[in-house]
Amino acid sequence: MSGSNGSKGLLGFYFGTSLVARILVATVLGAAVGLALGPQAAAVKPLGDLLLRLLRMIVVPVVFFSLVVGASSVSPSRLGSVGIKLIAYYTITTALAVTVGLLFANLLKPGLGLVLEGTNGATLSATPPSLVDTLLNVVPTNPVEALAGGNMLQIIFFALLLGIGISTLSESQDPRLSSAGQAVFKVCEGGAEAMYKITKWIMEYAPIGVFALIATVFSQQGSKVAGPLAMALGTVYLAFGAHMVVIYGATLKAFGLSPLGFFRRAREAMITAFVTRSSSATLPVTMEVSEEKLGVSKGIFSFTLPLGATINMDGTAIYQGVCVMFVANCMGQALSLSQQLTVILTATLASIGTAGVPGAGAIMLLMVLNSVGISVSEGTAAAAAYAMILGIDSIMDMGRTLLNVTGDMVGTVVVAKGEGELDGSKWD
């Protein structure tokens, strides 16, 4: 009986501790165990391989259902001046974000010089398609085949079209068509929510998997991986800061708004995003701040902010750009300009399908890596580098969520200003 209570107490302590703390502790313990035990630490490797399999399992359904729901949530009647301005802003800033991430990664070269090897003793060879072929192959000839084969660009394209089609049906004047559209939307919405729940379960297991992966990496590579990992973290946060100051600052200035005034008024939502690591969980605070502190009308922010929490992920785009370069550098692979352009395209589209929940960015990173021919499979160099990223993903997630939410509020403010629905007295 006492053993049962002790076991229950241990599980209670595990699940009662924040995920961030658990992953950080797992990272430190994994590094210590890997260094202390050396090759013997390979005994825990299957636990890490299980995490990789679980993450790869969830990628396709998360992307598909999230994108369908996100695209179908946009009412065609609102795709007028507000919708066009907002989507243009989200698309441009996300593309700029991944470009900023790649720029800093090219300048600082995180992971360069640390050539990881898989258990087979050889680095993984990346053989990506050309940019022209990538663009042409965005359109699937068989969507079911694209889903089964995990062809992410084709999945994204089809999911967006399907979402727009559902939205159009739902707004139809024909009751039969409208009912059909709403029924399909509810199915996809249910699928998306189920995938988010499964993602949460996987993230609960993540500390155990991270421990095993980090222990395996350090047992094989030793302490030499610590410096490159710190460089990757620093590169990501420098890119976050640059994007916030330069891109968001310039955008606000262009609309005659004070960047300092904006950041001062928006700080409550920004801090909440940093702590919760969830755009969706921060949404009530973001709405309150937008109305009470930033002076945005409810007719604007009730449309822009939920949409932004679904499809606007600048922080995630930066993270993907830096981490793809980090993984490639750790493999001893140099990404060509064509490959980096492919990363910009894929990461921009991938950010639309990134759920606004903790840990989703790490799942989307698998998709972006795949777009340049890097497959994260058990025992490969890519898996070792990805494991290192997972070890500090929670720290990166705090910054990228803050940037995601800040970008939503900047877009909301500038659209409201352009539509004449911003209360200027709030800025006095």
Side-chain angles (χ1 to χ4, degrees):
M1 183 69 68
S2 60
S4 175
N5 290 337
S7 176
K8 182 178 180 181
L10 181 61
L11 288 175
F13 175 78
Y14 179 84
F15 290 109
T17 308
S18 74
L19 181 62
V20 175
R22 277 181 279 152
I23 290 180
L24 290 178
V25 170
T27 301
V28 174
L29 287 178
V33 169
L35 290 173
L37 298 184
Q40 294 180 358
V44 299
K45 183 176 179 294
L47 297 176
D49 291 344
L50 175 60
L51 177 60
L52 292 178
R53 283 180 172 270
L54 289 170
L55 290 171
R56 291 167 63 191
M57 174 190 75
I58 204 70
V59 170
V60 169
V62 165
V63 170
F64 178 75
F65 285 119
S66 295
L67 272 177
V68 171
V69 171
S72 57
S73 297
V74 184
S75 171
S77 62
R78 297 232 58 174
L79 286 177
S81 60
V82 174
I84 291 173
K85 289 175 183 176
L86 188 67
I87 293 172
Y89 163 82
Y90 285 163
T91 303
I92 292 170
T93 56
T94 300
L96 287 173
V98 67
T99 304
V100 168
L102 288 172
L103 176 63
F104 274 83
N106 278 288
L107 290 174
L108 301 178
K109 303 185 185 305
L112 188 66
L114 176 65
V115 180
L116 298 176
E117 294 185 354
T119 55
N120 57 7
T123 57
L124 183 67
S125 176
T127 55
S130 68
L131 180 60
V132 173
D133 288 340
T134 298
L135 292 173
L136 194 59
N137 290 331
V138 164
V139 182
T141 56
N142 186 340
V144 176
E145 182 181 355
L147 287 165
N151 189 320
M152 287 300 175
L153 284 176
Q154 293 185 359
I155 292 170
I156 288 172
F157 182 85
F158 176 68
L160 286 173
L161 284 184
L162 179 58
I164 294 171
I166 292 172
S167 177
T168 304
L169 279 181
S170 299
E171 294 290 320
S172 174
Q173 298 301 314
D174 185 331
R176 182 182 65 84
L177 295 179
S178 177
S179 177
Q182 292 171 14
V184 177
F185 173 78
K186 287 185 179 296
V187 169
C188 292
E189 186 179 35
E193 292 299 329
M195 292 305 108
Y196 300 158
K197 182 66 69 174
I198 294 173
T199 299
K200 184 178 179 180
W201 294 341
I202 293 173
M203 294 310 296
E204 290 295 338
Y205 172 74
I208 298 172
V210 166
F211 166 80
L213 290 167
I214 293 296
T216 303
V217 170
F218 272 80
S219 70
Q220 294 172 348
Q221 310 297 332
S223 59
K224 64 181 181 179
V225 300
L229 201 55
M231 177 61 78
L233 183 62
T235 302
V236 166
Y237 269 87
L238 282 173
F240 287 162
H243 188 78
M244 185 174 293
V245 172
V246 177
I247 304 300
Y248 293 160
T251 301
L252 290 165
K253 276 284 189 183
F255 282 82
L257 300 170
S258 167
L260 289 178
F262 169 83
F263 292 126
R264 186 173 65 253
R265 292 172 176 82
R267 65 181 181 272
E268 182 181 349
M270 294 168 67
I271 293 171
T272 302
F274 187 80
V275 173
T276 63
R277 300 166 50 228
S278 171
S279 300
S280 298
T282 309
L283 192 55
V285 180
T286 311
M287 287 183 164
E288 181 181 359
V289 167
S290 295
E291 183 174 24
E292 301 296 330
K293 302 290 181 65
L294 298 174
V296 180
S297 71
K298 187 174 183 179
I300 294 292
F301 74 72
S302 62
F303 169 67
T304 61
L305 291 178
L307 183 62
T310 304
I311 71 172
N312 184 45
M313 302 287 174
D314 292 355
T316 303
I318 287 176
Y319 158 86
Q320 289 166 346
V322 172
C323 291
V324 166
M325 292 291 287
F326 173 79
V327 172
N329 287 337
C330 287
M331 295 169 59
Q333 303 279 348
L335 294 186
S336 65
L337 177 60
S338 175
Q339 288 174 289
Q340 293 188 41
L341 290 174
T342 300
V343 170
I344 292 175
L345 173 64
T346 311
T348 300
L349 295 174
S351 69
I352 300 173
T354 302
V357 295
I363 297 174
M364 294 302 104
L365 178 59
L366 291 173
M367 184 191 74
V368 181
L369 286 167
N370 184 66
S371 73
V372 289
I374 300 176
S375 177
V376 180
S377 302
E378 300 92 325
T380 63
Y386 183 73
M388 293 170 64
I389 292 297
L390 281 180
I392 58 172
D393 180 70
S394 57
I395 303 176
M396 292 183 173
D397 197 13
M398 298 168 80
R400 68 178 181 246
T401 304
L402 183 153
L403 195 67
N404 290 342
V405 170
T406 303
D408 295 345
M409 289 188 289
V410 172
T412 295
V413 166
V414 298
V415 168
K417 181 70 180 295
E419 293 294 310
E421 296 194 44
L422 185 69
D423 184 357
S425 66
K426 300 284 188 180
W427 292 74
D428 294 338

